[in-house]
Coordinates of all heavy atoms in Angstrom, one line a residue:
H1 N -3.6 7.2 4.6 CA -4.9 7.6 4.0 C -5.9 7.4 5.2 O -5.7 6.7 6.2 CB -5.3 6.6 2.9 CG -6.6 6.8 2.2 ND1 -7.7 6.5 2.7 CD2 -6.7 7.4 1.0 CE1 -8.6 6.8 1.7 NE2 -8.0 7.4 0.7
H2 N -7.1 8.1 5.1 CA -8.1 8.0 6.1 C -8.6 6.5 6.4 O -8.9 6.2 7.6 CB -9.3 8.8 5.8 CG -8.9 10.3 5.8 ND1 -9.9 11.3 5.3 CD2 -7.9 11.0 6.2 CE1 -9.3 12.4 5.4 NE2 -8.2 12.3 6.0
S3 N -8.5 5.7 5.5 CA -8.8 4.3 5.6 C -7.9 3.5 6.4 O -8.1 2.5 6.9 CB -9.1 3.7 4.3 OG -8.0 3.6 3.5
G4 N -6.6 4.1 6.6 CA -5.6 3.5 7.5 C -5.7 4.3 8.9 O -4.7 4.0 9.7
I5 N -6.5 5.1 9.1 CA -6.6 5.8 10.5 C -7.9 5.6 11.1 O -7.9 5.0 12.2 CB -6.5 7.4 10.2 CG1 -5.1 7.8 9.5 CG2 -6.6 8.1 11.5 CD1 -5.0 9.2 9.1
V6 N -9.0 5.9 10.4 CA -10.3 5.7 11.1 C -10.7 4.4 11.7 O -11.1 4.2 12.8 CB -11.5 6.3 10.1 CG1 -12.9 6.3 10.9 CG2 -11.2 7.8 9.7
P7 N -10.5 3.3 10.9 CA -10.7 2.0 11.3 C -10.0 1.6 12.6 O -10.4 1.0 13.5 CB -10.3 1.0 10.2 CG -10.4 1.9 9.0 CD -10.0 3.2 9.4
W8 N -8.7 2.1 12.8 CA -7.9 1.9 14.0 C -8.4 2.7 15.1 O -8.3 2.3 16.3 CB -6.4 2.1 13.6 CG -6.0 1.1 12.6 CD1 -5.5 1.3 11.3 CD2 -6.0 -0.4 12.7 NE1 -5.3 0.1 10.7 CE2 -5.6 -0.9 11.5 CE3 -6.4 -1.2 13.8 CZ2 -5.4 -2.4 11.3 CZ3 -6.3 -2.6 13.6 CH2 -5.8 -3.2 12.4
Q9 N -8.8 3.9 14.8 CA -9.4 4.8 16.0 C -10.6 4.0 16.5 O -10.8 4.0 17.7 CB -9.8 6.1 15.4 CG -8.6 7.1 15.1 CD -9.1 8.4 14.5 OE1 -10.2 8.4 13.9 NE2 -8.3 9.5 14.7
I10 N -11.4 3.5 15.6 CA -12.8 2.8 16.0 C -12.3 1.5 17.0 O -12.9 1.3 18.0 CB -13.5 2.4 14.9 CG1 -14.1 3.6 14.2 CG2 -14.7 1.4 15.4 CD1 -14.9 3.4 12.9
A11 N -11.3 0.8 16.4 CA -10.9 -0.5 17.1 C -10.3 -0.1 18.4 O -10.5 -0.8 19.4 CB -9.8 -1.2 16.2
C12 N -9.6 1.1 18.6 CA -9.0 1.4 19.8 C -10.0 1.9 20.7 O -9.9 1.5 22.0 CB -7.8 2.4 19.7 SG -6.4 1.7 18.8
Q13 N -11.0 2.6 20.3 CA -12.0 3.1 21.1 C -12.9 1.9 21.8 O -13.2 2.0 22.8 CB -12.9 4.0 20.3 CG -12.4 5.4 20.1 CD -13.0 6.1 19.0 OE1 -14.0 5.6 18.5 NE2 -12.6 7.3 18.6
R14 N -13.0 0.9 20.9 CA -13.8 -0.2 21.4 C -13.1 -1.1 22.3 O -13.7 -1.7 23.3 CB -14.3 -1.1 20.2 CG -15.4 -0.4 19.4 CD -15.6 -1.3 18.2 NE -16.8 -0.7 17.4 CZ -17.2 -1.1 16.2 NH1 -16.5 -2.2 15.6 NH2 -18.1 -0.6 15.5
S15 N -11.8 -1.1 22.2 CA -10.9 -2.1 23.0 C -10.3 -1.6 24.2 O -9.9 -2.2 25.1 CB -9.9 -2.8 22.2 OG -9.0 -1.8 21.6
G16 N -10.0 -0.2 24.2 CA -9.3 0.4 25.2 C -7.8 0.4 24.8 O -6.9 0.9 25.7
A17 N -7.4 0.0 23.6 CA -6.1 0.0 23.2 C -5.6 1.4 22.9 O -6.5 2.4 22.7 CB -5.8 -0.9 22.0
K18 N -4.4 1.8 22.6 CA -4.0 3.1 22.3 C -3.3 3.1 20.9 O -2.7 2.2 20.5 CB -2.8 3.4 23.4 CG -2.3 4.9 23.3 CD -1.3 5.2 24.4 CE -2.0 5.2 25.6 NZ -1.0 5.7 26.8
L19 N -3.7 4.2 20.3 CA -3.2 4.4 18.8 C -2.0 5.3 19.0 O -1.9 6.4 19.5 CB -4.2 5.1 18.1 CG -4.0 5.3 16.5 CD1 -4.0 3.9 15.9 CD2 -5.1 6.1 15.9
K20 N -0.9 4.8 18.3 CA 0.4 5.5 18.3 C 0.7 5.8 16.8 O 0.4 5.1 15.9 CB 1.6 4.6 18.8 CG 1.5 4.3 20.3 CD 1.9 5.5 21.1 CE 2.1 5.0 22.6 NZ 2.5 6.1 23.4
V21 N 1.4 6.9 16.6 CA 1.7 7.5 15.3 C 3.1 7.7 15.0 O 3.7 8.4 15.8 CB 0.7 8.8 14.9 CG1 1.0 9.2 13.6 CG2 -0.7 8.6 15.2
V22 N 3.7 7.1 13.9 CA 5.0 7.5 13.5 C 5.1 8.8 12.9 O 4.4 8.9 11.8 CB 5.6 6.4 12.7 CG1 7.0 6.6 12.3 CG2 5.4 5.0 13.3
P23 N 5.9 9.6 13.2 CA 6.0 11.0 12.5 C 6.7 10.9 11.3 O 7.3 9.9 10.9 CB 6.8 11.9 13.5 CG 7.6 10.8 14.3 CD 6.8 9.7 14.4
I24 N 6.6 11.9 10.4 CA 7.2 12.0 9.2 C 8.2 13.2 9.2 O 8.1 14.1 10.0 CB 6.3 12.2 7.9 CG1 5.3 13.4 8.1 CG2 5.4 10.9 7.8 CD1 4.5 13.7 7.0
T25 N 9.2 13.2 8.3 CA 10.1 14.3 8.1 C 9.7 15.4 7.1 O 8.7 15.1 6.4 CB 11.5 13.7 7.7 OG1 11.4 13.1 6.4 CG2 12.0 12.5 8.7
A26 N 10.4 16.4 7.0 CA 10.0 17.5 6.1 C 10.0 17.0 4.7 O 9.2 17.6 3.9 CB 11.1 18.7 6.3
C27 N 10.9 16.1 4.3 CA 10.8 15.7 2.9 C 9.7 14.6 2.7 O 9.5 14.1 1.6 CB 12.2 15.1 2.4 SG 12.6 13.6 3.3
G28 N 9.1 14.2 3.8 CA 7.8 13.2 3.5 C 8.3 11.7 3.8 O 7.6 10.9 3.2
E29 N 9.4 11.5 4.5 CA 9.7 10.1 4.7 C 9.3 9.7 6.2 O 9.3 10.7 7.1 CB 11.2 10.0 4.6 CG 11.7 10.1 3.2 CD 13.2 10.1 2.9 OE1 14.0 10.3 3.9 OE2 13.7 9.9 1.8
L30 N 9.3 8.5 6.5 CA 9.0 8.1 7.9 C 10.2 8.4 8.7 O 11.3 8.2 8.3 CB 8.6 6.6 7.9 CG 7.3 6.2 7.3 CD1 7.1 4.6 7.5 CD2 6.2 6.9 8.0
D31 N 10.1 8.8 9.9 CA 11.2 8.9 10.9 C 11.4 7.6 11.5 O 10.8 7.1 12.5 CB 10.6 9.9 12.0 CG 11.8 10.2 13.1 OD1 12.7 9.4 13.1 OD2 11.6 11.2 13.7
M32 N 12.4 6.9 10.8 CA 12.6 5.5 11.2 C 13.2 5.3 12.7 O 13.0 4.3 13.3 CB 13.5 4.8 10.2 CG 12.9 4.7 8.8 SD 11.4 3.6 8.9 CE 12.3 2.0 9.2
A33 N 13.9 6.3 13.0 CA 14.5 6.2 14.4 C 13.4 6.3 15.5 O 13.5 5.5 16.4 CB 15.5 7.4 14.7
T34 N 12.5 7.2 15.1 CA 11.3 7.2 16.1 C 10.5 6.0 16.0 O 9.9 5.4 17.0 CB 10.5 8.5 15.9 OG1 11.3 9.5 16.1 CG2 9.3 8.5 16.9
L35 N 10.3 5.5 14.8 CA 9.5 4.2 14.6 C 10.1 3.1 15.4 O 9.4 2.3 16.1 CB 9.6 3.8 13.1 CG 8.6 2.6 12.7 CD1 8.2 2.8 11.3 CD2 9.5 1.3 12.7
E36 N 11.4 2.9 15.4 CA 11.9 1.8 16.2 C 11.8 1.9 17.7 O 11.6 1.0 18.4 CB 13.5 1.8 15.9 CG 13.8 1.4 14.5 CD 15.3 1.1 14.2 OE1 15.9 0.7 15.3 OE2 15.7 1.3 13.1
T37 N 11.6 3.2 18.2 CA 11.3 3.3 19.6 C 9.8 3.1 20.0 O 9.5 2.7 21.1 CB 11.8 4.7 20.1 OG1 10.9 5.7 19.5 CG2 13.2 5.0 19.8
L38 N 9.0 3.3 19.0 CA 7.6 3.1 19.2 C 7.1 1.7 19.1 O 6.0 1.3 19.7 CB 6.8 4.1 18.2 CG 6.8 5.5 18.3 CD1 6.1 6.2 17.1 CD2 6.2 5.9 19.7
I39 N 7.9 0.8 18.4 CA 7.5 -0.5 18.4 C 8.0 -1.2 19.7 O 9.3 -1.4 19.9 CB 8.1 -1.3 17.1 CG1 7.5 -0.6 15.9 CG2 7.9 -2.8 17.2 CD1 8.1 -1.3 14.6
T40 N 7.1 -1.7 20.5 CA 7.5 -2.3 21.8 C 6.7 -3.5 22.0 O 5.9 -3.9 21.1 CB 7.3 -1.3 23.0 OG1 5.8 -1.1 23.1 CG2 7.9 0.1 22.7
E41 N 6.9 -4.1 23.1 CA 6.1 -5.4 23.5 C 4.7 -5.1 23.6 O 3.9 -6.0 23.6 CB 6.7 -6.1 24.8 CG 6.4 -5.3 26.0 CD 7.4 -4.1 26.2 OE1 8.4 -4.0 25.4 OE2 7.2 -3.4 27.2
R42 N 4.2 -3.8 23.8 CA 2.9 -3.5 23.8 C 2.1 -3.4 22.4 O 1.0 -3.4 22.2 CB 2.7 -2.1 24.5 CG 3.0 -2.2 25.9 CD 2.7 -1.0 26.7 NE 3.4 0.2 26.2 CZ 4.7 0.5 26.6 NH1 5.2 -0.2 27.5 NH2 5.3 1.5 26.0
T43 N 3.0 -3.3 21.4 CA 2.6 -3.2 20.0 C 1.9 -4.5 19.6 O 2.7 -5.5 19.4 CB 3.7 -2.7 19.0 OG1 4.4 -1.5 19.6 CG2 3.2 -2.4 17.6
K44 N 0.8 -4.4 19.1 CA 0.1 -5.6 18.6 C -0.1 -5.7 17.1 O -0.1 -6.7 16.5 CB -1.3 -5.9 19.4 CG -1.1 -6.0 20.8 CD -0.3 -7.0 21.3 CE -0.2 -7.0 22.8 NZ 0.9 -8.2 23.2
I45 N -0.3 -4.4 16.6 CA -0.6 -4.3 15.2 C 0.2 -3.1 14.7 O 0.2 -2.0 15.2 CB -2.0 -4.1 14.8 CG1 -2.8 -5.3 15.4 CG2 -2.3 -3.9 13.4 CD1 -4.3 -5.1 15.4
V46 N 0.9 -3.3 13.5 CA 1.4 -2.1 12.7 C 0.7 -2.0 11.4 O 0.7 -3.1 10.6 CB 3.0 -2.3 12.6 CG1 3.6 -1.1 11.7 CG2 3.7 -2.4 13.8
S47 N 0.2 -0.8 11.0 CA -0.6 -0.8 9.8 C 0.0 0.5 9.1 O 0.1 1.5 9.6 CB -2.1 -0.6 10.1 OG -2.8 -0.3 9.0
L48 N 0.4 0.3 7.8 CA 1.0 1.3 7.1 C 0.8 1.3 5.6 O 0.6 0.1 5.2 CB 2.4 1.5 7.3 CG 3.4 0.5 6.8 CD1 4.7 1.0 6.8 CD2 3.4 -0.8 7.3

């Protein structure tokens, strides 16, 4: 939802952090394989 996007865009703009996005599949599910690669030691917050 936009309330799960815009606040994080603002937070990243203010801090210099980077916003990463987990893609979805054609049926509307999270791409879990990609999600696992996106979660790294640089990840501080996961919001979903």
